[in-house]
Amino acid sequence: MKKKQDRSRKDRGISLLVSIILVFCILGVVVFSVSRKISVEMSQSAIQNLSESLDLIKCTIEAILKNEADFQKLIAQKVAMAEDPEQYILDYEKNRTMVKMSLVLKGKTEGISNTGEVFSEEELDFSAGGTVDELQISQSYVNYMGTWAYTMKCPVVKDGREIAALYIEYTYDYLDQSLPNGFYNKQAMLYIMDAESEKLVLKPKGMGERSAGHMNLKDFYYANKIHEYELREEVDRCLESGKNILFYHDIRKKEALNYMWAVNGGTIYLIGYVPVEEILQEGRSVNQNILIVVAVMLIAFFLCCLLYYLNHRQQIKLGREREKERELHNKQLAEALQAAQLASNSKTMFLSNMSHDIRTPMNAVLGFTTLLAMDAENPVKVREYTRKITASGQHLLSLINDVLDVSKIESGKVVLNVNQFTLNDLVSSVDAIIRPMADGKNQMFHVEVTGIKHECLLGDETRINQILINLLSNAVKYTQEGGNIWFRIVGLKQRSSQYEHIRIEVEDDGYGMTQEYLETIFDAFTRAENSTTNKVQGTGLGMAITKNIVELMGGTIDVASEVDQGSIFKVELELRIPEGQTDKSFWEEHGIARILAVYGNDTCKDIQTLMRDTGVQTDTALCLEEAVTKIQEHDRVKYDLILVNWDDMPNLQDLETAKKIRRTIYDTVPVVFLASYDAKDIKEIQQTEYTAILTKPFFVSALKEKIAELKGGTEEEKAGEQEPCSSLEGLHFLAAEDNEINAEILSEILEMEGASCEIAENGRLALERFERASEGEFDAILMDVQMPVMNGYEATKAIRALKRKDAEEIPIIAMTANAFAEDEKEALDAGMDVHMAKPIDIEKLKKIIHKYVQRKENI
């Protein structure tokens, strides 16, 4: 009977338990349905909110563009009313919204800018047909400051007749100030893209994460793995028609809502994405609250059941839970320890890599310093060692900036410092660093330059040098001893007469890379890993920085590699050709009107191309016998210089023919042999007077230096020419510098140049000393930036605000370790005349001081 009662009680308990479970299951289904419905509704609402937010941003940008168009129309009216429109433009000062204002009169192809430069519409591209309030807007481009910009064109109408066209350049950075500082908890990604070129011209601050490499739509696709052909085709159709598009796609393994929002009729687009989890945040919160209530009820239910049916097992369960908690706690401690160890290892690896890369140029500096001390009495070697020390020091400085570069690239704040440079100096500085590295591993370093039409170009030489050093140093490190490294600069077909189109190739026959690694080679902190390359250290930053710099310059970089076969990197750039750079006076002063190039059809063509604008006629001969025949025609032809390509001489018998050339021409006619760095048997030919060796590749500037060396006395002449214009004799300066060592160096340098200076320890003391000074007592102020009490910017503004005539006129030169382009802009905005980055370059300092002090004297 008792057994039946127990069984009946057990059956009733089971029935009750099943009933309760069934009730809770039904409740769970209802709760799940409600939660699902809430999620769908709130998702639709969030999408609507996103569309409204994008419309708001769109309206903000269009309002800014409209204001700029109204402003330009107003300026056009003022220009039309001006007696001298061009003078009005020259006198107009730029403001925060515009960078440059230009005017081209009707019927002319060139005009003037308020910066004083010559302006031509050929520099701009209005082919996309975009307009703002009926004003044409150009395709986006990178301006001379290295930032993205666009130009609006407005007709200037006077008495119903168009008399000119007004062009005003604006930068996208100004839009950044008017855009939101982040939405959806700053997890949303927002770019501004030029629709025509599909290049990303602006990424506002505080708008979520950003992977290195987002420079155009293609990279956006690549970085976010948007590879679906149909989807990309639909996006292209929307871009062509100026429509908006929203689509879902996983970003970094997270579901996200991607958008492309047309602005100004589709001339520019807002593109980016919002993680779905951020969109559904509110709905998720509601569902979480519901689930919490349900969970509490379920927990209460199971607790009651456990207390009613399984009270005797409660202690066992609690024991198991405590054991699980201990295991979880131990696991968390182990993970925390592992994370700490990984962080420590990463720090150690990074410091080790940086130590290796810094020691490479430092070794060159110390080595050449030792040689400098040994050969101090040899002026030629002293100059050569000094040049190589300077090149290595500059590379060392660029390495120190690598870590800063990565953070600035990630934030999209890297700008270019565009100046004039020569390919000869670029190749020489790279050769001075890479060749000793290659020689140390018994590698052959080949340098080739072909098809170049202009060796003097405009660009950021430091950044180009950084690209080359990164690629070539990697080639040396990842090539076995006795291997080969090829460094080529190839001139390509020009797309515009104003730009030199070049391709830089760095090739090696080293270890090579796997196809898997090639997919991530341009990511930061990634390196090839195998039993051979593990012995090579590196920061893992070089390729990421290189790719971003190349794309910032508007270029492309590609790589191909096979394991144990080698690698080749190809970089294509378009660099602007400076105007009016031909110096024909040098050739006239040295009596060179006609030269003869011997051997090597391609080499001769390169020489003729580079010598084309010098005014010197260049003839060619394909062999030494032909050259001798041409030289012997004294009555008809007289050559002032002979260039012989030594590497293309087929045999040593030509050595006698080369000597015959020397005997055939006048003794004072220079004979220059073009030879590679490791050419053999070349020194024998140099023993003859007025005969010299010029290391390949051929550059006009290098040839001029060699001719000047053969003529003799050039260094003294140059020094005599430069001394009057760069002399600081008798000048008196006020220097604001809080570092005693830097102050001492500056004082000694100025004293060596015959100048004197007073040192103020901070900006406040400099301001007070200038207030006490009589008018004209100081010729210029050398201003540090980071100082206690009052920094250099504040001191400069205070000096400029003083009510005395020389406060506005005295040159103020920023001398600071803040060396980025935005630092230079901040210095100029504060009222300084020029920005000079530390460490101090004495020649540059002398030129700057002379330029601005002379300007003051001429006022």
Side-chain angles (χ1 to χ4, degrees):
M1 184 69 179
K2 185 177 181 180
K3 291 182 178 179
K4 289 183 178 180
Q5 290 177 348
D6 293 340
R7 184 173 182 180
S8 176
R9 191 182 297 112
K10 184 177 180 180
D11 291 338
R12 288 196 301 271
I14 294 174
S15 300
L16 178 60
L17 179 63
V18 171
S19 300
I20 295 174
I21 292 175
L22 182 61
V23 170
F24 273 93
C25 288
I26 295 173
L27 178 61
V29 171
V30 173
V31 170
F32 177 80
S33 301
V34 172
S35 299
R36 185 67 178 174
K37 182 179 180 181
I38 292 174
S39 297
V40 172
E41 292 176 352
M42 301 198 84
S43 175
Q44 294 174 350
S45 176
I47 294 173
Q48 180 64 28
N49 290 338
L50 174 60
S51 301
E52 292 174 357
S53 298
L54 292 174
D55 284 334
L56 180 59
I57 296 175
K58 166 188 172 182
C59 293
T60 301
I61 296 176
E62 290 179 345
I64 294 173
L65 295 175
K66 178 65 167 57
N67 289 339
E68 291 174 347
D70 293 339
F71 166 76
Q72 190 159 345
K73 289 179 180 180
L74 178 60
I75 295 299
Q77 293 175 5
K78 292 184 178 181
V79 170
M81 293 186 293
E83 294 181 2
D84 187 348
E86 291 188 337
Q87 188 61 41
Y88 180 88
I89 295 298
L90 290 173
D91 294 339
Y92 198 91
E93 298 182 357
K94 67 181 182 180
N95 55 39
R96 294 179 60 189
T97 61
M98 72 165 201
V99 176
K100 183 171 67 174
M101 179 184 296
S102 307
L103 183 71
V104 178
L105 297 178
K106 185 70 172 182
K108 294 185 178 181
T109 59
E110 292 185 347
I112 51 91
S113 299
N114 62 338
T115 59
E117 300 173 342
V118 176
F119 174 80
S120 173
E121 186 180 332
E122 294 179 358
E123 303 172 1
L124 305 173
D125 185 358
F126 289 95
S127 61
T131 61
V132 177
D133 198 16
E134 300 182 353
L135 298 188
Q136 295 184 46
I137 184 170
S138 72
Q139 182 177 326
S140 301
Y141 58 90
V142 178
N143 64 10
Y144 76 97
M145 294 189 301
T147 186
W148 281 99
Y150 57 91
T151 295
M152 289 190 192
K153 177 180 178 181
C154 176
V156 179
V157 180
K158 183 176 183 180
D159 298 331
R161 180 174 59 88
E162 182 177 346
I163 62 171
L166 177 66
Y167 302 81
I168 296 183
E169 178 179 295
Y170 306 90
T171 62
Y172 282 99
D173 288 343
Y174 181 68
L175 296 179
D176 196 0
Q177 304 173 9
S178 303
L179 295 183
N181 197 28
F183 55 97
Y184 288 100
N185 296 322
K186 295 187 177 181
Q187 297 302 309
M189 175 67 75
L190 173 64
Y191 284 101
I192 294 181
M193 182 187 74
D194 182 84
E196 181 67 17
S197 62
E198 295 187 352
K199 294 202 173 181
L200 308 182
V201 297
L202 179 67
K203 174 183 179 288
K205 301 183 291 295
M207 302 300 288
E209 300 177 355
R210 177 179 183 267
S211 297
H214 290 197
M215 290 297 176
N216 52 44
L217 184 58
K218 180 180 178 182
D219 284 335
F220 182 84
Y221 285 153
Y222 177 79
N224 297 313
K225 298 182 179 180
I226 302 177
H227 303 306
E228 294 83 350
Y229 176 79
E230 295 80 4
L231 178 57
R232 294 175 63 165
E233 196 174 47
E234 183 181 356
V235 170
D236 290 340
R237 286 196 299 270
C238 290
L239 290 178
E240 291 177 0
S241 60
K243 295 181 178 179
N244 304 329
I245 183 173
L246 289 169
F247 60 91
Y248 286 95
H249 196 281
D250 289 352
I251 304 296
R252 298 188 185 93
K253 298 181 180 180
K254 294 182 180 179
E255 186 180 10
L257 180 60
N258 296 257
Y259 60 85
M260 293 192 177
W261 221 253
V263 180
N264 192 37
T267 58
I268 59 177
Y269 265 80
L270 303 173
I271 73 170
Y273 64 84
V274 180
V276 172
E277 62 182 13
E278 296 299 328
I279 295 178
L280 301 179
Q281 183 66 36
E282 295 180 0
R284 188 164 56 250
S285 299
V286 174
N287 289 335
Q288 287 176 349
N289 293 332
I290 295 176
L291 291 175
I292 289 173
V293 173
V294 174
V296 170
M297 295 174 64
L298 289 174
I299 292 173
F301 161 70
F302 284 113
L303 285 176
C304 291
C305 292
L306 289 172
L307 289 174
Y308 184 76
Y309 293 104
L310 305 171
N311 185 51
H312 64 284
R313 302 179 58 183
Q314 185 65 29
Q315 296 302 321
I316 298 176
K317 181 179 179 182
L318 291 175
R320 291 176 179 175
E321 288 179 351
R322 293 192 192 98
E323 184 65 26
K324 289 181 180 180
E325 288 179 358
R326 283 194 294 269
E327 291 177 357
L328 179 61
H329 183 64
N330 292 336
K331 182 180 179 181
Q332 291 174 343
L333 289 176
E335 291 176 350
L337 177 61
Q338 184 180 8
Q341 290 174 341
L342 288 175
S344 177
N345 293 337
S346 298
K347 174 184 175 183
T348 302
M349 179 64 72
F350 176 73
L351 292 175
S352 176
N353 293 340
M354 286 302 296
S355 173
H356 173 271
D357 283 0
I358 289 174
R359 287 175 186 273
T360 300
M362 181 59 73
N363 180 61
V365 171
L366 296 177
F368 283 121
T369 304
T370 303
L371 296 176
L372 188 63
M374 296 171 60
D375 295 319
E377 304 302 325
N378 189 334
V380 175
K381 289 189 176 181
V382 168
R383 286 192 294 271
E384 180 67 14
Y385 295 156
T386 304
R387 182 180 65 82
K388 293 181 178 180
I389 289 173
T390 302
S392 298
Q394 292 296 334
H395 175 52
L396 180 61
L397 191 60
S398 67
L399 277 176
I400 295 173
N401 287 329
D402 265 2
V403 177
L404 299 176
D405 279 347
V406 171
S407 63
K408 294 181 75 64
I409 288 171
E410 289 294 328
S411 63
K413 292 297 182 182
V414 173
V415 293
L416 300 177
N417 185 17
V418 178
N419 289 300
Q420 183 176 312
F421 71 96
T422 64
L423 291 177
N424 179 37
D425 292 339
L426 180 68
V427 173
S428 298
S429 63
V430 171
D431 187 273
I433 295 175
I434 299 301
R435 191 170 295 280
M437 296 171 59
D439 291 343
K441 297 182 68 174
N442 297 319
Q443 296 169 341
M444 296 294 293
F445 182 46
H446 310 276
V447 181
E448 303 172 8
V449 178
T450 57
I452 297 296
K453 299 179 179 61
H454 303 84
E455 64 174 276
C456 187
L457 301 169
L458 289 175
D460 192 330
E461 182 179 8
T462 301
R463 293 297 185 181
I464 297 176
N465 187 286
Q466 186 177 2
I467 293 171
L468 297 178
I469 295 299
N470 282 344
L471 296 178
L472 287 168
S473 60
N474 277 351
V476 172
K477 288 189 290 186
Y478 293 101
T479 300
Q480 66 280 359
E481 289 201 12
N484 291 273
I485 311 294
W486 290 271
F487 169 35
R488 309 184 188 97
I489 300 180
V490 183
L492 304 178
K493 183 179 179 181
Q494 291 177 267
R495 298 190 179 105
S496 169
S497 60
Q498 297 178 336
Y499 289 85
E500 183 80 16
H501 188 193
I502 66 172
R503 180 172 68 237
I504 299 171
E505 296 181 357
V506 174
E507 184 178 4
D508 63 71
D509 56 2
Y511 308 129
M513 295 171 283
T514 63
Q515 296 301 311
E516 292 77 12
Y517 177 64
L518 288 178
E519 297 180 0
T520 61
I521 185 173
F522 295 115
D523 294 341
F525 300 104
T526 57
R527 294 177 56 232
E529 299 290 340
N530 57 51
S531 60
T532 304
T533 61
N534 279 345
K535 301 176 183 179
V536 181
Q537 293 183 349
T539 62
L541 304 176
M543 288 298 98
I545 293 175
T546 297
K547 183 176 187 294
N548 281 276
I549 293 174
V550 169
E551 293 179 340
L552 187 62
M553 292 180 177
T556 60
I557 181 171
D558 296 306
V559 57
S561 181
E562 292 185 17
V563 176
D564 297 328
Q565 297 296 319
S567 307
I568 180 170
F569 288 83
K570 295 181 180 180
V571 176
E572 287 196 18
L573 297 173
E574 287 190 285
L575 300 174
R576 191 173 183 85
I577 302 168
E579 298 179 0
Q581 296 300 320
T582 303
D583 181 15
K584 299 182 180 180
S585 61
F586 174 87
W587 308 100
E588 295 174 357
E589 292 173 1
H590 290 80
I592 298 177
R594 190 167 189 167
I595 66 175
L596 177 64
V598 185
Y599 267 133
N601 189 38
D602 293 336
T603 302
C604 290
K605 286 182 179 179
D606 289 337
I607 294 174
Q608 285 181 317
T609 299
L610 290 173
M611 294 292 296
R612 179 179 54 197
D613 297 330
T614 62
V616 178
Q617 182 174 342
T618 305
D619 297 338
T620 62
L622 298 181
C623 64
L624 288 173
E625 291 77 8
E626 182 182 352
V628 172
T629 301
K630 288 189 174 184
I631 293 171
Q632 289 175 341
E633 297 175 356
H634 289 292
D635 297 336
R636 188 168 61 87
V637 178
K638 180 180 179 300
Y639 292 108
D640 305 303
L641 175 68
I642 309 297
L643 286 172
V644 181
N645 187 3
W646 178 268
D647 294 337
D648 286 349
M649 294 174 62
N651 51 59
L652 293 178
Q653 286 74 16
D654 282 343
L655 184 60
E656 295 300 323
T657 309
K659 293 180 179 180
K660 184 178 179 181
I661 289 180
R662 176 74 274 172
R663 296 192 299 268
T664 303
I665 61 177
Y666 293 112
D667 293 339
T668 58
V669 175
V671 177
V672 178
F673 289 86
L674 295 173
S676 58
Y677 183 85
D678 54 352
K680 299 179 180 179
D681 303 318
I682 188 66
K683 293 185 178 180
E684 180 180 350
I685 199 66
Q686 194 180 10
Q687 298 174 356
T688 310
E689 190 177 2
Y690 278 94
T691 302
I693 300 171
L694 183 62
T695 304
K696 288 183 177 180
F698 173 81
F699 289 108
V700 175
S701 56
L703 177 62
K704 289 168 67 175
E705 292 178 4
K706 188 61 66 175
I707 292 172
E709 181 181 326
L710 287 172
K711 296 292 184 180
T714 57
E715 294 300 326
E716 293 77 3
E717 293 172 5
K718 290 180 181 178
E721 292 174 359
Q722 293 177 0
E723 186 175 356
C725 73
S726 59
S727 175
L728 305 181
E729 186 73 31
L731 298 180
H732 187 50
F733 302 99
L734 174 60
E737 176 60 69
D738 64 318
N739 186 284
E740 294 182 4
I741 296 178
N742 291 341
E744 181 180 354
I745 292 173
L746 179 61
S747 299
E748 291 294 331
I749 289 175
L750 293 177
E751 185 176 347
M752 292 171 61
E753 297 297 329
S756 61
C757 74
E758 292 186 27
I759 302 296
E761 296 180 357
N762 56 61
R764 171 62 65 184
L765 294 177
L767 172 62
E768 294 174 353
R769 179 63 183 92
F770 183 77
E771 288 178 324
R772 297 193 306 269
S774 59
E775 186 171 334
E777 179 177 348
F778 295 109
D779 295 287
I781 299 176
L782 308 178
M783 184 72 71
D784 191 12
V785 171
Q786 292 186 354
M787 296 182 292
V789 184
M790 177 182 285
N791 63 37
Y793 301 136
E794 296 170 347
T796 299
K797 293 177 181 178
I799 290 174
R800 294 301 190 201
L802 294 176
K803 296 181 179 180
R804 47 189 289 179
K805 181 179 179 181
D806 59 342
E808 298 179 359
E809 299 175 352
I810 188 169
I812 301 179
I813 301 171
M815 297 180 60
T816 172
N818 298 346
F820 295 109
E822 54 267 33
D823 300 318
E824 180 177 358
K825 182 177 183 299
E826 188 172 0
L828 297 178
D829 291 341
M832 301 184 189
D833 293 274
V834 67
H835 177 278
M836 180 177 178
K838 294 178 182 178
I840 298 174
D841 184 335
I842 179 57
E843 293 302 325
K844 183 178 180 182
L845 175 61
K846 288 162 63 177
K847 290 179 182 179
I848 289 175
I849 290 176
H850 171 74
K851 175 182 176 182
Y852 285 91
V853 172
Q854 185 69 27
R855 182 190 69 178
K856 185 192 75 169
E857 294 172 354
N858 291 337
I859 291 176

